[in-house]
Amino acid sequence: IIKIMKIAAASDNGIMLTGHIGRCNMFLVYNIQDNRITNIERRENLNSKHEGKHEPHGEHLCCHDGDHGKTNGVHNQRHAEVLSKINDCKFVICNSAGKGMIDDLEQNKISVILTNETEAKKAVERFIAGELKNDPSIECIEHNN
């Protein structure tokens, strides 16, 4: 039974889940109390601006330092900024995420739920009801770090 917690959902438009957590425009943070959504907060992801084009691993290159890109145990600065947006959440629901992002979230005690569900609120409601399961087979394969 879920008593009180926060669940983040990665979204670009405030309704649908996004296909890549590190590039989402916002996080919808759902406050859950007694298995019900009591509030929804929008938190802008300042890391979402990638000039409209996708260059594999390009966003990682500028962020790596001499320790294989790790900064205080976090894969890179962009991951640290995403973590700071949802560090009060126990779960984050999204359509995909790279292994490095998943590892950083889980090291910070945020469980990643990968799903093919398209609507953020529906995904959270299904998760609360115990009907939404993590599907690691949809992990982002473009970003293995």
Side-chain angles (χ1 to χ4, degrees), residues 101-116:
M101 179 67 82
I102 292 170
D103 290 347
D104 287 345
L105 287 162
E106 291 181 349
Q107 286 175 9
N108 285 274
K109 300 185 182 347
I110 302 171
S111 297
V112 179
I113 307 299
L114 300 170
T115 180
N116 287 320

Side-chain angles (χ1 to χ4, degrees), residues 3-9 27-43 88-89 120-121 124-125 128:
K3 291 291 182 188
I4 299 174
M5 76 165 64
K6 291 185 180 183
I7 300 172
F27 293 98
L28 301 170
V29 177
Y30 292 81
N31 291 307
I32 310 301
Q33 186 169 358
D34 296 323
N35 292 328
R36 279 186 274 205
I37 297 170
T38 59
N39 188 43
I40 303 170
E41 176 187 353
R42 289 181 184 220
R43 298 181 186 172
D88 58 338
C89 298
K121 186 175 181 186
V124 171
E125 290 170 342
I128 293 168

Side-chain angles (χ1 to χ4, degrees), residues 20 22-23 50 54-60 75-76 79 97-102 139-145:
H20 197 295
R23 294 170 185 237
H50 289 294
H54 177 67
E55 297 177 26
H57 302 287
E59 74 276 10
H60 295 287
H75 181 254
N76 64 42
H79 292 188
K99 182 164 177 29
M101 179 67 82
I102 292 170
E139 178 180 305
C140 179
I141 57 173
E142 292 175 7
H143 294 19
N144 290 326
N145 56 8

Side-chain angles (χ1 to χ4, degrees), residues 10 18 20-24 27 45 47-50 59 78-79 82 96-98 101:
T18 189
H20 197 295
I21 188 172
R23 294 170 185 237
C24 67
F27 293 98
N45 178 15
N47 292 312
S48 67
K49 311 302 180 237
H50 289 294
E59 74 276 10
R78 290 187 191 274
H79 292 188
V82 167
S96 68
M101 179 67 82

